[in-house]
Amino acid sequence: MRTMMKSLLAAAALAASAAALSAPASAQESEYGPADAKYTYYWISNKANLPLFVQYDYVGMKRIAEELGVRVVVAGPTDFDVPGFIAAVDQVCAQKPSGVSVVGGWDPSLTESVKKCMEQGVPTVVDDGDLPDSGRLAYIGTNWTQVGVAQAKKMMEMLPNGGKLGMMSIINAGNMREAVAGFTAYIEANGGGKYTIVANEDDGGDAQKAAQVTAAIIAANPDIAGLAGFDSESGAGIVTALREAGKNPGDIKVTAMEQTPDFFKTAKEGWVDGIVVQNRELFIYYAVKLLHDYNTNTLKSAGLGSADGGRPIPDTVDTGVLLVTKDNVDKVLTALNVK
């Protein structure tokens, strides 16, 4: 992971603490299912071994490969590298696999590569962030506007008298722009003018940078009341910065996205008031299932099968979200076997 301002002791301290909250996952399998399977499907993403992906998406990948007897392969750069991600999509589709699922939320520029896959006759769906102008067969994943709304509702509940709010995300990611817009619109429509959004910053999907961004927001706004993070590394960075700043749990209200199982402890400890959980195990599970149905189910649209332009699969599968708070976090920690 990249670090910034390494020469500054304060930044170094923040980075070290954030790293502890965001330890990388151990090496994982990069493909599932029989090597000689008749059908091979690819899942392609930026930061393809992100701990969040390994913890959840890979589970769905393994399950659907076993259930259908197909091969599912992970592809894409392991760092934040949008050009490399686009190149990976192009290279995989040139091999003409049975189908591809692209994690579309990283950047709208993926639209053209998905179009190209479809033009080459490769069935292509998008998960975890839609690319509605790409011609994709289907979108499977979260409604990111509702992610923003869920965080806004929790923030307003925790700050009924209003206050200054800050946001952070991967600022160019299409799905997170939707979340930021949903959060902002809900606050503006329902906040009665009591809330002021004073920051909307880029943390690059990096917990270390998120800690630095949080520290800067607090320095510029000592009376900040709430912080909302929209990528999986934002929350870990926010909590690290609050600890380093000598804050107590609850001094600044926080909403965030899920990360590793240990991150749920922050809800129990009072650092984070609401953690939005996507049903990520469903993303690639249903992505491959839809692709396989498209290839094999023989159903028709107005008499047309998939080879003739029919669309015998749903256009959108909204996998929903769960909000983890102090009221249900014990159940989550028990279920995930977090000590």
PDB file of all heavy atoms in Angstrom, residues 50 52 80 105-106 128-129 144-145 147-148 167-183 200 202-205 229-234 257 278 280:
ATOM      1  N   LEU A  50      -8.015  -7.453  -2.386  1.00  0.00           N
ATOM      2  CA  LEU A  50      -8.437  -6.623  -1.256  1.00  0.00           C
ATOM      3  C   LEU A  50      -8.991  -7.520  -0.155  1.00  0.00           C
ATOM      4  O   LEU A  50      -9.743  -8.469  -0.438  1.00  0.00           O
ATOM      5  CB  LEU A  50      -9.516  -5.648  -1.736  1.00  0.00           C
ATOM      6  CG  LEU A  50      -9.927  -4.504  -0.800  1.00  0.00           C
ATOM      7  CD1 LEU A  50      -8.822  -3.466  -0.719  1.00  0.00           C
ATOM      8  CD2 LEU A  50     -11.213  -3.852  -1.308  1.00  0.00           C
ATOM      9  N   LEU A  52     -11.377  -7.325   1.858  1.00  0.00           N
ATOM     10  CA  LEU A  52     -12.839  -7.445   1.787  1.00  0.00           C
ATOM     11  C   LEU A  52     -13.253  -8.475   0.746  1.00  0.00           C
ATOM     12  O   LEU A  52     -14.151  -9.290   0.978  1.00  0.00           O
ATOM     13  CB  LEU A  52     -13.445  -6.091   1.445  1.00  0.00           C
ATOM     14  CG  LEU A  52     -14.973  -6.023   1.399  1.00  0.00           C
ATOM     15  CD1 LEU A  52     -15.552  -6.058   2.809  1.00  0.00           C
ATOM     16  CD2 LEU A  52     -15.431  -4.761   0.679  1.00  0.00           C
ATOM     17  N   PHE A  80      -4.105  -0.489  -6.832  1.00  0.00           N
ATOM     18  CA  PHE A  80      -5.066   0.425  -7.443  1.00  0.00           C
ATOM     19  C   PHE A  80      -4.481   0.869  -8.776  1.00  0.00           C
ATOM     20  O   PHE A  80      -3.592   1.696  -8.841  1.00  0.00           O
ATOM     21  CB  PHE A  80      -5.321   1.632  -6.534  1.00  0.00           C
ATOM     22  CG  PHE A  80      -6.461   2.488  -7.001  1.00  0.00           C
ATOM     23  CD1 PHE A  80      -7.749   2.237  -6.551  1.00  0.00           C
ATOM     24  CD2 PHE A  80      -6.263   3.512  -7.912  1.00  0.00           C
ATOM     25  CE1 PHE A  80      -8.814   3.007  -6.982  1.00  0.00           C
ATOM     26  CE2 PHE A  80      -7.321   4.284  -8.351  1.00  0.00           C
ATOM     27  CZ  PHE A  80      -8.600   4.039  -7.893  1.00  0.00           C
ATOM     28  N   GLY A 105     -17.734  -0.761 -10.203  1.00  0.00           N
ATOM     29  CA  GLY A 105     -17.801   0.475  -9.442  1.00  0.00           C
ATOM     30  C   GLY A 105     -16.528   1.291  -9.392  1.00  0.00           C
ATOM     31  O   GLY A 105     -16.545   2.449  -8.992  1.00  0.00           O
ATOM     32  N   TRP A 106     -15.397   0.694  -9.801  1.00  0.00           N
ATOM     33  CA  TRP A 106     -14.124   1.388  -9.671  1.00  0.00           C
ATOM     34  C   TRP A 106     -14.050   2.654 -10.510  1.00  0.00           C
ATOM     35  O   TRP A 106     -13.523   3.668 -10.060  1.00  0.00           O
ATOM     36  CB  TRP A 106     -12.975   0.467 -10.049  1.00  0.00           C
ATOM     37  CG  TRP A 106     -12.695  -0.629  -9.072  1.00  0.00           C
ATOM     38  CD1 TRP A 106     -12.963  -1.956  -9.229  1.00  0.00           C
ATOM     39  CD2 TRP A 106     -12.091  -0.513  -7.779  1.00  0.00           C
ATOM     40  NE1 TRP A 106     -12.562  -2.670  -8.128  1.00  0.00           N
ATOM     41  CE2 TRP A 106     -12.020  -1.806  -7.216  1.00  0.00           C
ATOM     42  CE3 TRP A 106     -11.601   0.564  -7.044  1.00  0.00           C
ATOM     43  CZ2 TRP A 106     -11.484  -2.054  -5.962  1.00  0.00           C
ATOM     44  CZ3 TRP A 106     -11.053   0.317  -5.784  1.00  0.00           C
ATOM     45  CH2 TRP A 106     -11.004  -0.975  -5.258  1.00  0.00           C
ATOM     46  N   ASP A 128     -21.081  -5.003  -8.135  1.00  0.00           N
ATOM     47  CA  ASP A 128     -20.556  -4.031  -7.166  1.00  0.00           C
ATOM     48  C   ASP A 128     -20.325  -2.647  -7.779  1.00  0.00           C
ATOM     49  O   ASP A 128     -19.277  -2.033  -7.565  1.00  0.00           O
ATOM     50  CB  ASP A 128     -19.264  -4.565  -6.547  1.00  0.00           C
ATOM     51  CG  ASP A 128     -18.913  -3.833  -5.247  1.00  0.00           C
ATOM     52  OD1 ASP A 128     -19.804  -3.179  -4.679  1.00  0.00           O
ATOM     53  OD2 ASP A 128     -17.751  -3.929  -4.803  1.00  0.00           O
ATOM     54  N   GLY A 129     -21.278  -2.133  -8.499  1.00  0.00           N
ATOM     55  CA  GLY A 129     -21.179  -0.822  -9.138  1.00  0.00           C
ATOM     56  C   GLY A 129     -21.524  -0.953 -10.603  1.00  0.00           C
ATOM     57  O   GLY A 129     -20.798  -1.609 -11.354  1.00  0.00           O
ATOM     58  N   TRP A 144     -26.073   1.604  -4.465  1.00  0.00           N
ATOM     59  CA  TRP A 144     -25.164   2.443  -3.700  1.00  0.00           C
ATOM     60  C   TRP A 144     -25.811   3.745  -3.215  1.00  0.00           C
ATOM     61  O   TRP A 144     -25.356   4.329  -2.227  1.00  0.00           O
ATOM     62  CB  TRP A 144     -23.904   2.722  -4.509  1.00  0.00           C
ATOM     63  CG  TRP A 144     -22.942   1.573  -4.396  1.00  0.00           C
ATOM     64  CD1 TRP A 144     -22.937   0.425  -5.115  1.00  0.00           C
ATOM     65  CD2 TRP A 144     -21.878   1.450  -3.456  1.00  0.00           C
ATOM     66  NE1 TRP A 144     -21.927  -0.407  -4.700  1.00  0.00           N
ATOM     67  CE2 TRP A 144     -21.254   0.203  -3.675  1.00  0.00           C
ATOM     68  CE3 TRP A 144     -21.366   2.281  -2.442  1.00  0.00           C
ATOM     69  CZ2 TRP A 144     -20.174  -0.236  -2.936  1.00  0.00           C
ATOM     70  CZ3 TRP A 144     -20.275   1.840  -1.699  1.00  0.00           C
ATOM     71  CH2 TRP A 144     -19.701   0.600  -1.948  1.00  0.00           C
ATOM     72  N   THR A 145     -26.865   4.192  -3.871  1.00  0.00           N
ATOM     73  CA  THR A 145     -27.601   5.330  -3.331  1.00  0.00           C
ATOM     74  C   THR A 145     -28.138   4.987  -1.952  1.00  0.00           C
ATOM     75  O   THR A 145     -28.080   5.804  -1.020  1.00  0.00           O
ATOM     76  CB  THR A 145     -28.760   5.723  -4.264  1.00  0.00           C
ATOM     77  OG1 THR A 145     -28.234   6.130  -5.519  1.00  0.00           O
ATOM     78  CG2 THR A 145     -29.582   6.865  -3.676  1.00  0.00           C
ATOM     79  N   VAL A 147     -26.842   2.877   0.114  1.00  0.00           N
ATOM     80  CA  VAL A 147     -25.718   2.880   1.064  1.00  0.00           C
ATOM     81  C   VAL A 147     -25.567   4.269   1.676  1.00  0.00           C
ATOM     82  O   VAL A 147     -25.406   4.427   2.890  1.00  0.00           O
ATOM     83  CB  VAL A 147     -24.406   2.459   0.360  1.00  0.00           C
ATOM     84  CG1 VAL A 147     -23.194   2.759   1.248  1.00  0.00           C
ATOM     85  CG2 VAL A 147     -24.441   0.979   0.009  1.00  0.00           C
ATOM     86  N   GLY A 148     -25.627   5.297   0.819  1.00  0.00           N
ATOM     87  CA  GLY A 148     -25.535   6.666   1.316  1.00  0.00           C
ATOM     88  C   GLY A 148     -26.693   7.026   2.218  1.00  0.00           C
ATOM     89  O   GLY A 148     -26.515   7.659   3.276  1.00  0.00           O
ATOM     90  N   MET A 167     -16.957  13.566   4.753  1.00  0.00           N
ATOM     91  CA  MET A 167     -17.100  12.308   4.008  1.00  0.00           C
ATOM     92  C   MET A 167     -15.768  11.950   3.362  1.00  0.00           C
ATOM     93  O   MET A 167     -14.975  12.831   3.040  1.00  0.00           O
ATOM     94  CB  MET A 167     -18.156  12.449   2.908  1.00  0.00           C
ATOM     95  CG  MET A 167     -19.524  12.865   3.385  1.00  0.00           C
ATOM     96  SD  MET A 167     -20.721  12.971   2.000  1.00  0.00           S
ATOM     97  CE  MET A 167     -20.016  14.296   1.037  1.00  0.00           C
ATOM     98  N   MET A 168     -15.566  10.652   3.149  1.00  0.00           N
ATOM     99  CA  MET A 168     -14.397  10.208   2.386  1.00  0.00           C
ATOM    100  C   MET A 168     -14.729   8.924   1.648  1.00  0.00           C
ATOM    101  O   MET A 168     -15.596   8.142   2.070  1.00  0.00           O
ATOM    102  CB  MET A 168     -13.181  10.034   3.285  1.00  0.00           C
ATOM    103  CG  MET A 168     -13.255   8.929   4.305  1.00  0.00           C
ATOM    104  SD  MET A 168     -11.846   8.985   5.457  1.00  0.00           S
ATOM    105  CE  MET A 168     -12.229  10.473   6.371  1.00  0.00           C
ATOM    106  N   SER A 169     -14.030   8.724   0.527  1.00  0.00           N
ATOM    107  CA  SER A 169     -14.300   7.575  -0.333  1.00  0.00           C
ATOM    108  C   SER A 169     -13.191   7.499  -1.381  1.00  0.00           C
ATOM    109  O   SER A 169     -12.257   8.304  -1.367  1.00  0.00           O
ATOM    110  CB  SER A 169     -15.654   7.743  -1.035  1.00  0.00           C
ATOM    111  OG  SER A 169     -15.614   8.871  -1.909  1.00  0.00           O
ATOM    112  N   ILE A 170     -13.313   6.534  -2.286  1.00  0.00           N
ATOM    113  CA  ILE A 170     -12.514   6.572  -3.517  1.00  0.00           C
ATOM    114  C   ILE A 170     -13.284   7.501  -4.443  1.00  0.00           C
ATOM    115  O   ILE A 170     -14.276   7.123  -5.051  1.00  0.00           O
ATOM    116  CB  ILE A 170     -12.367   5.172  -4.130  1.00  0.00           C
ATOM    117  CG1 ILE A 170     -11.727   4.218  -3.118  1.00  0.00           C
ATOM    118  CG2 ILE A 170     -11.527   5.226  -5.406  1.00  0.00           C
ATOM    119  CD1 ILE A 170     -11.721   2.765  -3.567  1.00  0.00           C
ATOM    120  N   ILE A 171     -12.857   8.726  -4.531  1.00  0.00           N
ATOM    121  CA  ILE A 171     -13.723   9.795  -5.003  1.00  0.00           C
ATOM    122  C   ILE A 171     -14.102   9.678  -6.471  1.00  0.00           C
ATOM    123  O   ILE A 171     -15.129  10.211  -6.908  1.00  0.00           O
ATOM    124  CB  ILE A 171     -13.059  11.166  -4.693  1.00  0.00           C
ATOM    125  CG1 ILE A 171     -14.120  12.248  -4.529  1.00  0.00           C
ATOM    126  CG2 ILE A 171     -12.002  11.512  -5.723  1.00  0.00           C
ATOM    127  CD1 ILE A 171     -13.626  13.490  -3.812  1.00  0.00           C
ATOM    128  N   ASN A 172     -13.310   8.948  -7.274  1.00  0.00           N
ATOM    129  CA  ASN A 172     -13.629   8.780  -8.687  1.00  0.00           C
ATOM    130  C   ASN A 172     -14.381   7.488  -8.983  1.00  0.00           C
ATOM    131  O   ASN A 172     -14.748   7.248 -10.139  1.00  0.00           O
ATOM    132  CB  ASN A 172     -12.355   8.832  -9.532  1.00  0.00           C
ATOM    133  CG  ASN A 172     -11.792  10.230  -9.634  1.00  0.00           C
ATOM    134  OD1 ASN A 172     -12.537  11.202  -9.685  1.00  0.00           O
ATOM    135  ND2 ASN A 172     -10.474  10.345  -9.646  1.00  0.00           N
ATOM    136  N   ALA A 173     -14.611   6.662  -7.969  1.00  0.00           N
ATOM    137  CA  ALA A 173     -15.336   5.410  -8.180  1.00  0.00           C
ATOM    138  C   ALA A 173     -16.819   5.706  -8.357  1.00  0.00           C
ATOM    139  O   ALA A 173     -17.433   6.387  -7.532  1.00  0.00           O
ATOM    140  CB  ALA A 173     -15.121   4.469  -6.999  1.00  0.00           C
ATOM    141  N   GLY A 174     -17.399   5.178  -9.415  1.00  0.00           N
ATOM    142  CA  GLY A 174     -18.786   5.488  -9.717  1.00  0.00           C
ATOM    143  C   GLY A 174     -19.745   5.081  -8.613  1.00  0.00           C
ATOM    144  O   GLY A 174     -20.678   5.828  -8.286  1.00  0.00           O
ATOM    145  N   ASN A 175     -19.541   3.889  -8.019  1.00  0.00           N
ATOM    146  CA  ASN A 175     -20.466   3.448  -6.977  1.00  0.00           C
ATOM    147  C   ASN A 175     -20.394   4.359  -5.747  1.00  0.00           C
ATOM    148  O   ASN A 175     -21.417   4.672  -5.125  1.00  0.00           O
ATOM    149  CB  ASN A 175     -20.213   1.983  -6.600  1.00  0.00           C
ATOM    150  CG  ASN A 175     -18.784   1.671  -6.234  1.00  0.00           C
ATOM    151  OD1 ASN A 175     -17.907   2.536  -6.213  1.00  0.00           O
ATOM    152  ND2 ASN A 175     -18.521   0.398  -5.946  1.00  0.00           N
ATOM    153  N   MET A 176     -19.198   4.823  -5.426  1.00  0.00           N
ATOM    154  CA  MET A 176     -19.064   5.671  -4.239  1.00  0.00           C
ATOM    155  C   MET A 176     -19.569   7.088  -4.483  1.00  0.00           C
ATOM    156  O   MET A 176     -20.054   7.751  -3.565  1.00  0.00           O
ATOM    157  CB  MET A 176     -17.623   5.643  -3.739  1.00  0.00           C
ATOM    158  CG  MET A 176     -17.302   4.269  -3.178  1.00  0.00           C
ATOM    159  SD  MET A 176     -15.613   4.021  -2.696  1.00  0.00           S
ATOM    160  CE  MET A 176     -15.495   2.252  -3.002  1.00  0.00           C
ATOM    161  N   ARG A 177     -19.491   7.526  -5.719  1.00  0.00           N
ATOM    162  CA  ARG A 177     -20.114   8.809  -6.046  1.00  0.00           C
ATOM    163  C   ARG A 177     -21.625   8.722  -5.836  1.00  0.00           C
ATOM    164  O   ARG A 177     -22.255   9.684  -5.371  1.00  0.00           O
ATOM    165  CB  ARG A 177     -19.789   9.221  -7.477  1.00  0.00           C
ATOM    166  CG  ARG A 177     -18.354   9.692  -7.662  1.00  0.00           C
ATOM    167  CD  ARG A 177     -18.219  10.627  -8.855  1.00  0.00           C
ATOM    168  NE  ARG A 177     -18.602   9.988 -10.093  1.00  0.00           N
ATOM    169  CZ  ARG A 177     -17.760   9.304 -10.870  1.00  0.00           C
ATOM    170  NH1 ARG A 177     -16.495   9.173 -10.515  1.00  0.00           N
ATOM    171  NH2 ARG A 177     -18.182   8.760 -11.988  1.00  0.00           N
ATOM    172  N   GLU A 178     -22.197   7.566  -6.163  1.00  0.00           N
ATOM    173  CA  GLU A 178     -23.621   7.366  -5.917  1.00  0.00           C
ATOM    174  C   GLU A 178     -23.917   7.403  -4.415  1.00  0.00           C
ATOM    175  O   GLU A 178     -24.924   7.987  -3.989  1.00  0.00           O
ATOM    176  CB  GLU A 178     -24.077   6.026  -6.489  1.00  0.00           C
ATOM    177  CG  GLU A 178     -24.101   5.962  -8.008  1.00  0.00           C
ATOM    178  CD  GLU A 178     -24.524   4.596  -8.501  1.00  0.00           C
ATOM    179  OE1 GLU A 178     -25.240   3.887  -7.760  1.00  0.00           O
ATOM    180  OE2 GLU A 178     -24.141   4.225  -9.625  1.00  0.00           O
ATOM    181  N   ALA A 179     -23.057   6.769  -3.621  1.00  0.00           N
ATOM    182  CA  ALA A 179     -23.257   6.755  -2.172  1.00  0.00           C
ATOM    183  C   ALA A 179     -23.145   8.162  -1.585  1.00  0.00           C
ATOM    184  O   ALA A 179     -23.965   8.568  -0.754  1.00  0.00           O
ATOM    185  CB  ALA A 179     -22.250   5.825  -1.508  1.00  0.00           C
ATOM    186  N   VAL A 180     -22.123   8.894  -2.019  1.00  0.00           N
ATOM    187  CA  VAL A 180     -21.940  10.272  -1.543  1.00  0.00           C
ATOM    188  C   VAL A 180     -23.152  11.121  -1.918  1.00  0.00           C
ATOM    189  O   VAL A 180     -23.660  11.909  -1.104  1.00  0.00           O
ATOM    190  CB  VAL A 180     -20.646  10.872  -2.128  1.00  0.00           C
ATOM    191  CG1 VAL A 180     -20.602  12.383  -1.929  1.00  0.00           C
ATOM    192  CG2 VAL A 180     -19.419  10.223  -1.473  1.00  0.00           C
ATOM    193  N   ALA A 181     -23.638  10.950  -3.144  1.00  0.00           N
ATOM    194  CA  ALA A 181     -24.809  11.717  -3.585  1.00  0.00           C
ATOM    195  C   ALA A 181     -26.041  11.339  -2.772  1.00  0.00           C
ATOM    196  O   ALA A 181     -26.846  12.209  -2.398  1.00  0.00           O
ATOM    197  CB  ALA A 181     -25.061  11.486  -5.073  1.00  0.00           C
ATOM    198  N   GLY A 182     -26.208  10.042  -2.489  1.00  0.00           N
ATOM    199  CA  GLY A 182     -27.344   9.603  -1.683  1.00  0.00           C
ATOM    200  C   GLY A 182     -27.286  10.151  -0.272  1.00  0.00           C
ATOM    201  O   GLY A 182     -28.310  10.591   0.283  1.00  0.00           O
ATOM    202  N   PHE A 183     -26.098  10.127   0.320  1.00  0.00           N
ATOM    203  CA  PHE A 183     -25.898  10.670   1.667  1.00  0.00           C
ATOM    204  C   PHE A 183     -26.226  12.160   1.687  1.00  0.00           C
ATOM    205  O   PHE A 183     -27.003  12.635   2.526  1.00  0.00           O
ATOM    206  CB  PHE A 183     -24.439  10.434   2.081  1.00  0.00           C
ATOM    207  CG  PHE A 183     -24.078  10.902   3.461  1.00  0.00           C
ATOM    208  CD1 PHE A 183     -24.176  10.055   4.548  1.00  0.00           C
ATOM    209  CD2 PHE A 183     -23.617  12.198   3.678  1.00  0.00           C
ATOM    210  CE1 PHE A 183     -23.821  10.479   5.827  1.00  0.00           C
ATOM    211  CE2 PHE A 183     -23.266  12.631   4.941  1.00  0.00           C
ATOM    212  CZ  PHE A 183     -23.367  11.766   6.027  1.00  0.00           C
ATOM    213  N   ASN A 200     -15.413  16.487   1.570  1.00  0.00           N
ATOM    214  CA  ASN A 200     -15.670  15.314   0.740  1.00  0.00           C
ATOM    215  C   ASN A 200     -14.333  14.934   0.116  1.00  0.00           C
ATOM    216  O   ASN A 200     -13.937  15.469  -0.911  1.00  0.00           O
ATOM    217  CB  ASN A 200     -16.705  15.617  -0.339  1.00  0.00           C
ATOM    218  CG  ASN A 200     -16.971  14.433  -1.246  1.00  0.00           C
ATOM    219  OD1 ASN A 200     -16.744  13.284  -0.863  1.00  0.00           O
ATOM    220  ND2 ASN A 200     -17.444  14.697  -2.455  1.00  0.00           N
ATOM    221  N   ASP A 202     -10.846  12.280  -0.845  1.00  0.00           N
ATOM    222  CA  ASP A 202     -10.429  11.032  -1.472  1.00  0.00           C
ATOM    223  C   ASP A 202      -9.447  10.305  -0.555  1.00  0.00           C
ATOM    224  O   ASP A 202      -8.412  10.869  -0.182  1.00  0.00           O
ATOM    225  CB  ASP A 202      -9.757  11.343  -2.807  1.00  0.00           C
ATOM    226  CG  ASP A 202      -9.357  10.099  -3.590  1.00  0.00           C
ATOM    227  OD1 ASP A 202      -9.838   8.998  -3.233  1.00  0.00           O
ATOM    228  OD2 ASP A 202      -8.585  10.233  -4.547  1.00  0.00           O
ATOM    229  N   ASP A 203      -9.770   9.055  -0.184  1.00  0.00           N
ATOM    230  CA  ASP A 203      -8.812   8.279   0.610  1.00  0.00           C
ATOM    231  C   ASP A 203      -8.166   7.155  -0.205  1.00  0.00           C
ATOM    232  O   ASP A 203      -7.373   6.380   0.322  1.00  0.00           O
ATOM    233  CB  ASP A 203      -9.454   7.728   1.886  1.00  0.00           C
ATOM    234  CG  ASP A 203     -10.575   6.730   1.630  1.00  0.00           C
ATOM    235  OD1 ASP A 203     -10.586   6.097   0.560  1.00  0.00           O
ATOM    236  OD2 ASP A 203     -11.449   6.583   2.506  1.00  0.00           O
ATOM    237  N   GLY A 204      -8.512   7.080  -1.487  1.00  0.00           N
ATOM    238  CA  GLY A 204      -7.843   6.133  -2.377  1.00  0.00           C
ATOM    239  C   GLY A 204      -8.067   4.672  -2.056  1.00  0.00           C
ATOM    240  O   GLY A 204      -7.355   3.807  -2.563  1.00  0.00           O
ATOM    241  N   GLY A 205      -9.054   4.348  -1.209  1.00  0.00           N
ATOM    242  CA  GLY A 205      -9.247   2.951  -0.832  1.00  0.00           C
ATOM    243  C   GLY A 205      -8.097   2.392  -0.024  1.00  0.00           C
ATOM    244  O   GLY A 205      -7.810   1.203  -0.073  1.00  0.00           O
ATOM    245  N   GLY A 229     -17.600   7.193   5.944  1.00  0.00           N
ATOM    246  CA  GLY A 229     -16.651   6.593   5.004  1.00  0.00           C
ATOM    247  C   GLY A 229     -17.345   5.599   4.095  1.00  0.00           C
ATOM    248  O   GLY A 229     -18.146   4.783   4.566  1.00  0.00           O
ATOM    249  N   PHE A 230     -17.033   5.647   2.802  1.00  0.00           N
ATOM    250  CA  PHE A 230     -17.792   4.866   1.839  1.00  0.00           C
ATOM    251  C   PHE A 230     -17.016   3.764   1.122  1.00  0.00           C
ATOM    252  O   PHE A 230     -17.593   3.055   0.297  1.00  0.00           O
ATOM    253  CB  PHE A 230     -18.445   5.802   0.818  1.00  0.00           C
ATOM    254  CG  PHE A 230     -19.475   6.704   1.442  1.00  0.00           C
ATOM    255  CD1 PHE A 230     -19.216   8.052   1.650  1.00  0.00           C
ATOM    256  CD2 PHE A 230     -20.686   6.190   1.859  1.00  0.00           C
ATOM    257  CE1 PHE A 230     -20.162   8.875   2.252  1.00  0.00           C
ATOM    258  CE2 PHE A 230     -21.643   6.999   2.459  1.00  0.00           C
ATOM    259  CZ  PHE A 230     -21.384   8.343   2.651  1.00  0.00           C
ATOM    260  N   ASP A 231     -15.722   3.600   1.382  1.00  0.00           N
ATOM    261  CA  ASP A 231     -15.045   2.412   0.873  1.00  0.00           C
ATOM    262  C   ASP A 231     -14.625   1.548   2.052  1.00  0.00           C
ATOM    263  O   ASP A 231     -14.678   1.981   3.203  1.00  0.00           O
ATOM    264  CB  ASP A 231     -13.852   2.781  -0.023  1.00  0.00           C
ATOM    265  CG  ASP A 231     -12.718   3.452   0.716  1.00  0.00           C
ATOM    266  OD1 ASP A 231     -12.022   2.758   1.483  1.00  0.00           O
ATOM    267  OD2 ASP A 231     -12.511   4.660   0.528  1.00  0.00           O
ATOM    268  N   SER A 232     -14.210   0.342   1.766  1.00  0.00           N
ATOM    269  CA  SER A 232     -13.982  -0.624   2.843  1.00  0.00           C
ATOM    270  C   SER A 232     -12.799  -0.284   3.731  1.00  0.00           C
ATOM    271  O   SER A 232     -12.672  -0.832   4.824  1.00  0.00           O
ATOM    272  CB  SER A 232     -13.784  -2.022   2.252  1.00  0.00           C
ATOM    273  OG  SER A 232     -12.595  -2.095   1.492  1.00  0.00           O
ATOM    274  N   GLU A 233     -11.926   0.604   3.282  1.00  0.00           N
ATOM    275  CA  GLU A 233     -10.767   0.981   4.089  1.00  0.00           C
ATOM    276  C   GLU A 233     -10.976   2.293   4.841  1.00  0.00           C
ATOM    277  O   GLU A 233     -10.180   2.643   5.718  1.00  0.00           O
ATOM    278  CB  GLU A 233      -9.535   1.098   3.184  1.00  0.00           C
ATOM    279  CG  GLU A 233      -9.194  -0.173   2.416  1.00  0.00           C
ATOM    280  CD  GLU A 233      -8.847  -1.329   3.340  1.00  0.00           C
ATOM    281  OE1 GLU A 233      -7.813  -1.265   4.022  1.00  0.00           O
ATOM    282  OE2 GLU A 233      -9.631  -2.305   3.388  1.00  0.00           O
ATOM    283  N   SER A 234     -12.032   3.031   4.516  1.00  0.00           N
ATOM    284  CA  SER A 234     -12.262   4.332   5.158  1.00  0.00           C
ATOM    285  C   SER A 234     -12.406   4.202   6.669  1.00  0.00           C
ATOM    286  O   SER A 234     -11.793   4.950   7.443  1.00  0.00           O
ATOM    287  CB  SER A 234     -13.531   4.985   4.599  1.00  0.00           C
ATOM    288  OG  SER A 234     -13.479   5.190   3.224  1.00  0.00           O
ATOM    289  N   MET A 257     -18.265   1.485   6.013  1.00  0.00           N
ATOM    290  CA  MET A 257     -18.551   0.229   5.318  1.00  0.00           C
ATOM    291  C   MET A 257     -17.810  -0.910   6.019  1.00  0.00           C
ATOM    292  O   MET A 257     -16.827  -0.686   6.721  1.00  0.00           O
ATOM    293  CB  MET A 257     -18.094   0.316   3.861  1.00  0.00           C
ATOM    294  CG  MET A 257     -18.724   1.445   3.069  1.00  0.00           C
ATOM    295  SD  MET A 257     -20.516   1.328   2.902  1.00  0.00           S
ATOM    296  CE  MET A 257     -20.645  -0.126   1.836  1.00  0.00           C
ATOM    297  N   GLN A 278     -22.577  -5.029   2.827  1.00  0.00           N
ATOM    298  CA  GLN A 278     -23.129  -5.518   1.571  1.00  0.00           C
ATOM    299  C   GLN A 278     -23.212  -7.047   1.619  1.00  0.00           C
ATOM    300  O   GLN A 278     -22.395  -7.690   2.281  1.00  0.00           O
ATOM    301  CB  GLN A 278     -22.236  -5.115   0.401  1.00  0.00           C
ATOM    302  CG  GLN A 278     -22.021  -3.620   0.260  1.00  0.00           C
ATOM    303  CD  GLN A 278     -20.928  -3.342  -0.753  1.00  0.00           C
ATOM    304  OE1 GLN A 278     -19.755  -3.338  -0.427  1.00  0.00           O
ATOM    305  NE2 GLN A 278     -21.331  -3.132  -1.994  1.00  0.00           N
ATOM    306  N   ARG A 280     -21.952  -9.378   0.033  1.00  0.00           N
ATOM    307  CA  ARG A 280     -20.921  -9.568  -0.977  1.00  0.00           C
ATOM    308  C   ARG A 280     -20.779 -11.015  -1.426  1.00  0.00           C
ATOM    309  O   ARG A 280     -20.412 -11.282  -2.573  1.00  0.00           O
ATOM    310  CB  ARG A 280     -19.570  -9.055  -0.467  1.00  0.00           C
ATOM    311  CG  ARG A 280     -19.549  -7.577  -0.100  1.00  0.00           C
ATOM    312  CD  ARG A 280     -18.119  -7.079  -0.050  1.00  0.00           C
ATOM    313  NE  ARG A 280     -17.532  -7.158  -1.365  1.00  0.00           N
ATOM    314  CZ  ARG A 280     -17.523  -6.156  -2.251  1.00  0.00           C
ATOM    315  NH1 ARG A 280     -18.083  -5.011  -1.969  1.00  0.00           N
ATOM    316  NH2 ARG A 280     -16.961  -6.329  -3.425  1.00  0.00           N
TER     317      ARG A 280
END
